[in-house]
Amino acid sequence: MRKPMVAGNWKMNGASEFASLMSTQLNQHAASIGSVDVVVCPPTLYLAQVQNDAISYASAAQNVHFEEAGAYTGETSVAMLKDLGVEYVLVGHSERREMFADTDAVVANKVAAVIARSLVPILCIGESLEQRRNGEAFEVVKKQLLSALQAVTLKGGEVVVAYEPIWAIGTGETATPEQAQEIHAYIRSVLAAEISAQVAEKTRILYGGSVSAATAAELFSQQDIDGGLVGGASLKIADFKTICSAAADL
Ligand code: PGA
């Protein structure tokens, strides 16, 4: 049995007042979301606050550098995140791949650095609209997945995968539960074939891309969808709680 997870990616949104409100609301909601790993991913500047206030959830960084330390102005190391008590790190989000030169090689280095310090990467993969239209979705997802995991040895549970079709991110156009399930099952089959049955069985695969309070329950009811990576709807506290409850009801 895989424990469901719902992660809220604020991106470059929110400030300390919003962080306080979110922490209080999630902590008050603890009893009804106890069966879910709820993860809050604020901007780096608010990670310490979110982490310090955490009772019913864990925190995640939206990015990290793979080097241990050094002359990398503006960057944060895995050791620094660990020092704060942060447990998860988003790696390979499509916005970082597109806008901040997170190539497959950089993503693989980040995954390895995060796992080396026993934090858990939430590895984001997913195809563009053009790739889907060209029938390349499976191939793209497999390549991103195996490339990102090439430098690590997995036994199961060290990494969370988030399938985020780029055409569904921030567009209001959610993949249908059937479309998402098809790719999730494929990702699990690739993990089984290329790594091991145990890793395939233990790896949580989240769906991301316009998950909302209205669509979460049906998406999460799919066999290979173990929760969600939520962007826009994680900025609406009531909606985010509804999405966490949908995962708790599985
Ligand atoms: P969205 O973002 O829910 O706003 O589509 C998801 C993500 O980018 O992780």
Side-chain angles (χ1 to χ4, degrees):
M1 273 294 283
R2 296 176 294 271
K3 188 173 181 186
M5 172 179 284
V6 174
N9 174 14
W10 300 2
K11 309 189 180 185
M12 199 170 72
N13 297 293
S16 54
E17 193 184 342
F18 176 72
S20 291
L21 279 172
M22 179 65 86
S23 305
T24 307
Q25 289 283 318
L26 289 178
N27 288 333
Q28 283 173 358
H29 202 51
S32 56
I33 56 175
S35 57
V36 181
D37 280 338
V38 175
V39 180
V40 177
C41 325
T44 310
L45 196 57
Y46 302 110
L47 259 175
Q49 180 188 342
V50 164
Q51 174 60 30
N52 286 337
D53 291 344
I55 297 171
S56 65
Y57 61 87
S59 59
Q62 295 177 15
N63 182 37
V64 74
H65 199 285
F66 53 81
E67 291 291 354
E68 292 267 317
Y72 302 101
T73 301
E75 295 292 320
T76 306
S77 73
V78 183
M80 292 167 189
L81 298 177
K82 195 176 174 87
D83 189 30
L84 280 190
V86 171
E87 290 177 47
Y88 299 92
V89 186
L90 301 186
V91 178
H93 191 282
S94 61
E95 287 153 17
R96 294 215 54 91
R97 291 180 191 261
E98 273 170 32
M99 293 185 272
F100 302 102
D102 276 9
T103 60
D104 282 346
V106 169
V107 169
N109 282 336
K110 290 184 177 186
V111 166
V114 171
I115 291 178
R117 289 207 181 253
S118 305
L119 274 73
V120 176
I122 300 177
L123 168 66
C124 305
I125 56 176
E127 81 286 359
S128 67
L129 186 57
E130 194 188 350
Q131 288 165 332
R132 175 159 281 261
R133 285 191 176 140
N134 291 341
E136 295 163 4
F138 291 96
E139 190 187 320
V140 167
V141 159
K142 179 177 181 179
K143 181 173 163 284
Q144 287 179 343
L145 177 70
L146 295 180
S147 157
L149 299 178
Q150 65 186 297
V152 292
T153 306
L154 300 179
K155 292 203 171 74
E158 300 93 338
V159 58
V160 172
V161 175
Y163 168 58
E164 297 207 307
I166 296 169
W167 47 272
I169 295 178
T171 59
E173 192 185 335
T174 320
T176 64
E178 295 73 27
Q179 280 174 323
Q181 165 59 25
E182 185 182 35
I183 300 275
H184 281 234
Y186 176 69
I187 291 169
R188 209 175 295 289
S189 76
V190 171
L191 291 173
E194 305 284 340
I195 303 178
S196 74
Q198 177 173 303
V199 168
E201 188 53 39
K202 286 191 169 176
T203 302
R204 289 182 286 190
I205 308 176
L206 313 182
Y207 169 77
S210 297
V211 174
S212 69
T215 59
E218 206 187 341
L219 283 163
F220 298 169
S221 69
Q222 303 296 309
Q223 190 182 349
D224 290 291
I225 301 185
D226 303 309
L229 177 54
V230 185
S234 75
L235 298 170
K236 299 174 194 148
I237 297 177
D239 288 18
F240 189 61
K241 288 197 305 190
T242 302
I243 294 167
C244 293
S245 298
D249 291 343
L250 288 180

